Amino acid sequence: MRTTAVSGPHVEALLKILELERSKGYEDVAVVGGLDRYLRVYLKKAKDSGESSRASRICSPDFSYAALTREQRRQWAEKTRQHLTGSPSAKESPVKKQSAKPSPVRQLPPSPGISLDSPITAVKGIGPSSASRFAKLGVRTIRDMLYFFPHRHMDYGNQRCISELEVGGEQTLVATVWEARQVNLGGRPGTEAIVGDETGNVRAVWFNQPYLAKRFRTNARLVLFGKVGVYKGKKVFESPEWEFLESDDLSHADMLVPVYPLTEGLYPRTVRGLVKAIVSGWAPRLMDHLPEDVTSRCALMGLSQAIQQAHFPDSPESQDEARRRLAFDELFLIQVGVAARKLEWQETEASARFRIDDALLRRFDDSLPFRFTTAQERVLKEILSDVSQTRPMSRLLQGDVGSGKTVVAAAALMMAAANGCQGALMAPTEILAEQHFNTISGLLSRLGPPEEESGLLRSFPSLPPYPFVMALLTGSLKAGEKRKIQKAAIEGGVHLIIGTHALIQKGVEFQKLGLVVVDEQHRFGVLQRSALRQKGVNPHVLVMTATPIPRTLALTLYGDLDLSVIDEMPPGRVAIETKWLEPGQRQAAYNFVRRKIGEGRQAFVVCPLIEESESIEAKAAVVEYKRLSEEVFPDLRLGLLHGRMSSAEKEAAMRSFKDRQLDILVSTPVVEVGIDVPNAVVMLIEGADRFGLSQLHQFRGRVGRGEHKSYCLLLSESPSFEVRERLRIIERTRDGFLLAEEDLRLRGPGEFFGTQQSGLPDLRMARLSDVALLELARSEAIRLLDGDRGLKRPEHRLLAKEVARVWRAGGEAG
Ligand code: ADP
Ligand code: MG
């Protein structure tokens, strides 16, 4: 019964899917969303594109693949294949028992002289200019490229016609550009395109990418992938991923096509091609660092295959398997490092055990202008109990912005001095260090007036060890002053030194360092903490953070630290009013800012998060700063703050804002870490939808620090349903921990922690909400170290190397 074949791109694609189904044992897993949905689209396309009527005669309108038994599916698939190709299958294999077996990894001979650590220029086709572009994305070596994961996959299997687009989910659309133009999207230049197919037209918009308008010529064929929202009652693709369609795309055998982060000068196709070349050449050569018993006990995919499937998955299932394996790796390597550190720490002796001077504590307590909250009291008790042990304290103190961590730290630091020890308090910036110096010196003054010794040395005659001397040591001090403080530190003439990281990096020696407090931990690497610990013999260490981390995660990620939480706010805080505004209300927001400045107040403007790179983000902030100062607030004093400025420039900008020489500080998200400007009462956040709730909450914590009522205004250009939901939550909720939990629930922890979690190895694959995998990694790490403390056994050699590599990289980032 030989007949001729039916051909055409849609038929090709369907044949590939049928083949995939066959190889997976007819489990209806070849296409995301199931074959039935795919068939509906296929039928319409085949018909519309005129691929002979026989192409569409493969099933009746009420056919349901999902409803068939496996054997019936096999028969139908075979019949369909014959119908389309005109020939019976060469050899029909029986239904496989095992489903979703990803394709095997080819073994390749190694190239002489090139290793995983070779620069990518060692690969054919990558020259210095692409290499420098990749470097911007953090990809320098072949290994980096293997671990340069796509941020998503375009799902060709979930292709829709325009009439079938649904609001909400991610969908792929192939369409023709009718018109593309630069438009103003709520006050900012962006691109709008009208695209169409046989079933209709739809609008697509890209925020902040006006240059796309020129690239989208009329009649160009585009592949769009992303979420569909609604604007003014009409469907709209919101900042979808896009590519020009090339002739062979529709017959993509890979239903899941990776989409990589890009940077200027790198285009999707180039990147995909280069990654493909490197992955197929090098992934097979990776040696798996996980001990075999771990891999098999935890049912993990092998490393080579996982890398390959993470980039170019054969199916959503094998993609998941790959993700699980790679996520396990990340968590496991962290856990091994953390557990090793904890073991080490448990064996050391503290430089000093403090005797708790209750009378002094009571004096301090009585002197305060307020009463400790119950939470502060509890936490202080936990800390004091730690420091009175022989084992050095290693504690993480979490407390929402404004919960009153500083005063707790001050009490502990005072106790160190009363025990004849020195204390150090480190902040991430000079301004914060200065702020702490003034706050703590203010608190201590209430116990008895200070004597200004000189400049930044202050002494309290009535406080033990009579007198108590504190100093501020920052990079910008004059050399003479610096030397004087350093000398006092070595000789024991100063009891509390407050400074930046420079305290531990620039060779400051202490006579007897008993307690170290680190503020704003998330800018502070784990390795920096341990470097510090090596300074004193073994000081007690208290790390403070305002980033609320749900308890399970904190325990796991900061497994080397004990945890204290201030979960209560001091009474009588004026609530910050939070409001999200419709795109059309931007002018009203500006008017509000202007009014507050008229009243003598100040405002922050935070620019949207741009994930591609800090330099693009900085550029965008510069543009926004220019626009605001030239067009919107030409008569006001504006300042700019971004991550590409030197730390001196950053300090200068923050200082002029603090000193009221500026009315508005325009900033990238770097402003998150706590400067205290009590006179700032408006926090205006652009692109609020791009931030996590926790991060929005941190920004919000920058205002409301003085006596004036404060406001947090959220602007979002694409208030889709989900965005509205999220922004409503932050409008209503003031509790940082609740917001963190919501964040985890809504966005998953990859975004929650981001890569800014310095000092910890990058988490690219791990989702911290996956508590089960976290616990598994943790227990495997402990089990491993139980059996082989120093990872000395030969079968752990690769693993030991990997742990060292990952932690080294983490430390550099911190
Ligand atoms: P954070 O935890 O963000 O570091 P701070 O220590 O800066 O918070 O405290 C924020 C403000 O709250 C400070 O002005 C501090 O004096 C004040 N404060 C701290 N504890 C209390 C309390 N128990 N009652 C009232 N005000 C307090
Ligand atoms: Mg603070």
Side-chain angles (χ1 to χ4, degrees):
M1 190 203 61
R2 193 173 165 82
T3 47
T4 47
V6 189
S7 65
H10 303 305
V11 170
E12 299 294 338
L14 179 60
L15 284 171
K16 279 186 174 135
I17 287 169
L18 292 180
E19 176 53 27
L20 198 60
E21 258 302 286
R22 189 181 64 74
S23 74
K24 287 179 198 269
Y26 302 106
E27 299 261 37
D28 200 6
V29 291
V31 202
V32 190
L35 202 63
D36 287 319
R37 209 159 80 187
Y38 183 85
L39 285 173
R40 265 192 9 247
V41 180
Y42 161 83
L43 288 175
K44 179 168 264 140
K45 301 229 148 144
K47 189 163 134 261
D48 293 350
S49 68
E51 281 178 35
S52 108
S53 69
R54 219 172 83 222
S56 39
R57 264 188 280 118
I58 56 169
C59 58
S60 61
D62 57 357
F63 174 79
S64 166
Y65 184 77
L68 302 182
T69 66
R70 234 196 266 194
E71 178 55 24
Q72 288 167 332
R73 288 177 186 176
R74 190 189 64 74
Q75 287 171 9
W76 173 80
E78 178 52 16
K79 210 174 77 212
T80 304
R81 207 190 54 75
Q82 283 183 26
H83 175 73
L84 295 174
T85 59
S87 71
S89 118
K91 77 172 195 298
E92 170 60 62
S93 56
V95 173
K96 283 189 197 160
K97 281 267 139 52
Q98 282 286 312
S99 66
K101 260 269 178 289
S103 49
V105 174
R106 273 184 307 149
Q107 275 296 331
L108 292 176
S111 321
I114 308 184
S115 78
L116 284 171
D117 296 311
S118 300
I120 52 174
T121 43
V123 175
K124 226 171 63 192
I126 304 186
S129 64
S130 348
S132 74
R133 288 178 185 134
F134 273 109
K136 283 193 196 136
L137 298 167
V139 176
R140 291 179 180 81
T141 64
I142 291 175
R143 184 200 310 278
D144 292 341
M145 191 74 111
L146 293 176
Y147 281 88
F148 176 60
F149 298 120
H151 52 70
R152 65 207 318 177
H153 286 84
M154 288 208 275
D155 181 359
Y156 274 74
N158 195 11
Q159 208 168 302
R160 306 290 177 91
C161 321
I162 287 177
S163 63
E164 290 172 329
L165 291 174
E166 281 163 24
V167 174
E170 297 199 315
Q171 294 142 86
T172 305
L173 171 72
V174 176
T176 306
V177 176
W178 298 138
E179 183 189 7
R181 56 196 186 108
Q182 185 175 326
V183 288
N184 200 326
L185 294 171
R188 305 157 143 272
T191 294
E192 174 192 77
I194 308 295
V195 301
D197 67 7
E198 304 81 351
T199 66
N201 296 336
V202 67
R203 199 166 80 100
V205 293
W206 287 265
F207 299 97
N208 298 317
Q209 299 182 59
Y211 50 87
L212 290 182
K214 286 215 186 68
R215 300 201 60 199
F216 296 162
R217 300 248 159 78
T218 299
N219 289 329
R221 299 273 286 154
L222 282 184
V223 184
L224 301 178
F225 173 73
K227 282 205 174 132
V228 174
V230 180
Y231 184 69
K232 296 199 174 147
K234 295 207 164 139
K235 287 178 193 161
V236 55
F237 257 102
E238 293 170 349
S239 291
E241 304 285 344
W242 65 272
E243 280 189 24
F244 290 117
L245 181 77
E246 296 197 353
S247 51
D248 61 342
D249 277 352
L250 276 183
S251 57
H252 245 298
D254 312 314
M255 300 297 292
L256 296 165
V257 176
V259 180
Y260 292 94
L262 299 174
T263 186
E264 264 173 278
L266 280 182
Y267 297 104
R269 254 160 233 287
T270 334
V271 174
R272 193 180 300 146
L274 292 173
V275 173
K276 182 135 206 170
I278 290 187
V279 167
S280 55
W282 286 86
R285 292 178 211 171
L286 285 171
M287 305 263 278
D288 202 330
H289 52 263
L290 282 190
E292 242 176 73
D293 58 323
V294 175
T295 325
S296 64
R297 199 165 37 239
C298 305
L300 296 168
M301 186 182 255
L303 182 60
S304 298
Q305 203 165 43
I307 293 280
Q308 211 168 48
Q309 292 296 315
H311 289 277
F312 304 100
D314 290 338
S315 68
E317 288 74 22
S318 60
Q319 183 187 14
D320 275 353
E321 278 304 295
R323 193 201 64 79
R324 179 168 178 274
R325 155 67 207 245
L326 296 167
F328 180 89
D329 272 14
E330 291 171 352
L331 299 172
F332 182 68
L333 294 173
I334 289 176
Q335 288 305 315
V336 171
V338 159
R341 236 167 273 261
K342 185 151 193 169
L343 283 174
E344 208 176 289
W345 153 64
Q346 282 172 338
E347 281 170 3
T348 55
E349 281 225 344
S351 357
R353 313 171 38 170
F354 301 166
R355 192 188 59 79
I356 305 308
D357 182 343
D358 286 317
L360 178 64
L361 265 185
R362 213 162 314 120
R363 252 181 87 197
F364 181 69
D365 199 359
D366 290 343
S367 78
L368 293 175
F370 47 74
R371 309 219 27 218
F372 272 130
T373 60
T374 318
Q376 281 171 314
E377 243 165 44
R378 184 190 61 236
V379 162
L380 182 58
K381 211 178 269 169
E382 287 166 353
I383 292 168
L384 294 179
S385 142
D386 274 5
V387 295
S388 56
Q389 311 289 319
T390 47
R391 215 170 63 169
M393 168 168 71
S394 209
R395 188 167 282 280
L396 175 66
L397 171 54
Q398 290 189 351
D400 210 342
V401 190
S403 62
K405 296 183 289 292
T406 319
V407 61
V408 171
L413 288 163
M414 193 179 65
M415 205 49 69
N419 278 271
C421 284
Q422 292 166 301
L425 171 58
M426 298 195 298
T429 67
E430 295 207 355
I431 293 202
L432 278 173
E434 200 176 293
Q435 209 167 278
H436 278 315
F437 181 76
N438 290 327
T439 305
I440 293 180
S441 133
L443 286 170
L444 298 180
S445 311
R446 306 182 70 99
L447 288 158
E451 287 167 12
E452 196 98 354
E453 294 223 329
S454 82
L456 301 165
L457 224 54
R458 210 160 284 174
S459 130
F460 296 83
S462 75
L463 273 178
Y466 312 108
F468 171 100
V469 180
M470 65 187 275
L472 175 66
L473 182 61
T474 58
S476 55
L477 285 191
K478 291 198 199 78
E481 284 176 313
K482 218 183 267 178
R483 233 174 296 127
K484 185 170 168 203
I485 294 175
Q486 284 169 346
K487 186 155 172 282
I490 299 176
E491 292 174 352
V494 58
H495 308 101
L496 169 56
I497 298 197
I498 298 177
T500 56
H501 311 180
L503 263 191
I504 57 161
Q505 284 152 354
K506 305 252 170 72
V508 183
E509 301 288 336
F510 292 87
Q511 189 198 44
K512 192 174 183 197
L513 184 56
L515 170 64
V516 172
V517 178
V518 183
D519 195 15
E520 305 289 0
Q521 124 81 20
H522 62 307
R523 301 287 147 151
F524 217 87
V526 177
L527 296 187
Q528 284 164 314
R529 271 189 267 145
S530 68
L532 185 94
R533 180 167 283 150
Q534 284 150 21
K535 284 252 144 179
V537 190
N538 252 319
H540 296 287
V541 176
L542 178 68
V543 175
M544 305 197 293
T545 178
T547 311
I549 309 165
R551 190 176 173 85
T552 44
L553 304 188
L555 283 178
T556 314
L557 261 188
Y558 302 96
D560 64 331
L561 302 179
D562 295 317
L563 186 65
S564 287
V565 183
I566 303 187
D567 50 6
E568 178 186 357
M569 282 299 216
R573 283 285 153 80
V574 187
I576 300 166
E577 203 168 306
T578 305
K579 195 140 185 44
W580 78 261
L581 304 169
E582 299 278 358
Q585 291 175 288
R586 171 178 303 273
Q587 194 52 47
Y590 291 153
N591 293 344
F592 184 77
V593 167
R594 180 177 288 283
R595 194 160 76 238
K596 286 293 158 190
I597 290 170
E599 291 169 13
R601 306 283 86 77
Q602 291 163 284
F604 291 98
V605 174
V606 175
C607 302
L609 181 71
I610 300 176
E611 279 165 58
E612 285 88 49
S613 83
E614 202 171 59
S615 76
I616 296 179
E617 190 162 88
K619 261 188 235 160
V622 172
V623 171
E624 179 69 358
Y625 165 74
K626 268 196 74 182
R627 191 183 70 85
L628 288 174
S629 27
E630 286 167 11
E631 294 165 27
V632 186
F633 301 113
D635 51 327
L636 299 180
R637 300 165 303 168
L638 275 69
L640 174 66
L641 182 70
H642 63 69
R644 274 308 174 98
M645 291 161 55
S646 71
S647 47
E649 288 167 336
K650 278 188 232 166
E651 296 279 347
M654 287 196 268
R655 195 172 308 275
S656 2
F657 188 61
K658 197 172 161 74
D659 294 345
R660 302 202 191 184
Q661 284 157 13
L662 300 172
D663 301 309
I664 299 175
L665 186 63
V666 179
S667 173
T668 57
V670 297
V671 76
E672 177 186 350
V673 170
I675 45 166
D676 211 348
V677 184
N679 193 48
V681 300
V682 185
M683 168 59 68
L684 176 68
I685 304 172
E686 289 282 355
D689 49 296
R690 312 233 191 139
F691 296 106
L693 294 174
S694 287
Q695 212 177 356
L696 291 173
H697 181 65
Q698 291 294 311
F699 293 141
R700 178 165 66 180
R702 296 296 109 233
V703 295
R705 302 178 82 83
E707 56 197 296
H708 311 289
K709 173 141 176 68
S710 297
Y711 305 83
C712 178
L713 306 180
L714 308 168
L715 280 166
S716 161
E717 288 310 327
S718 54
S720 64
F721 179 72
E722 276 167 301
V723 167
R724 276 162 208 263
E725 273 293 275
R726 245 157 29 90
L727 297 185
R728 288 234 168 81
I729 294 173
I730 183 125
E731 258 187 354
R732 282 194 312 258
T733 314
R734 270 185 274 159
D735 180 328
F737 280 84
L738 267 179
L739 290 171
E741 301 282 2
E742 280 296 319
D743 241 1
L744 278 175
R745 194 176 61 76
L746 294 172
R747 315 207 319 166
E751 304 216 34
F752 179 70
F753 270 93
T755 45
Q756 46 173 286
Q757 193 66 41
S758 69
L760 282 173
D762 249 10
L763 294 179
R764 299 182 186 186
M765 285 293 189
R767 297 183 192 143
L768 291 174
S769 53
D770 192 349
V771 176
L773 194 65
L774 262 170
E775 293 298 344
L776 185 65
R778 186 172 168 78
S779 67
E780 285 296 331
I782 291 168
R783 180 176 188 149
L784 174 82
L785 291 172
D786 270 350
D788 182 13
R789 271 298 285 276
L791 297 187
K792 294 278 189 289
R793 291 211 205 118
E795 69 268 29
H796 295 154
R797 197 179 47 85
L798 267 179
L799 177 65
K801 235 172 98 181
E802 198 62 12
V803 172
R805 203 178 55 71
V806 157
W807 279 92
R808 200 172 52 237
E812 278 158 14

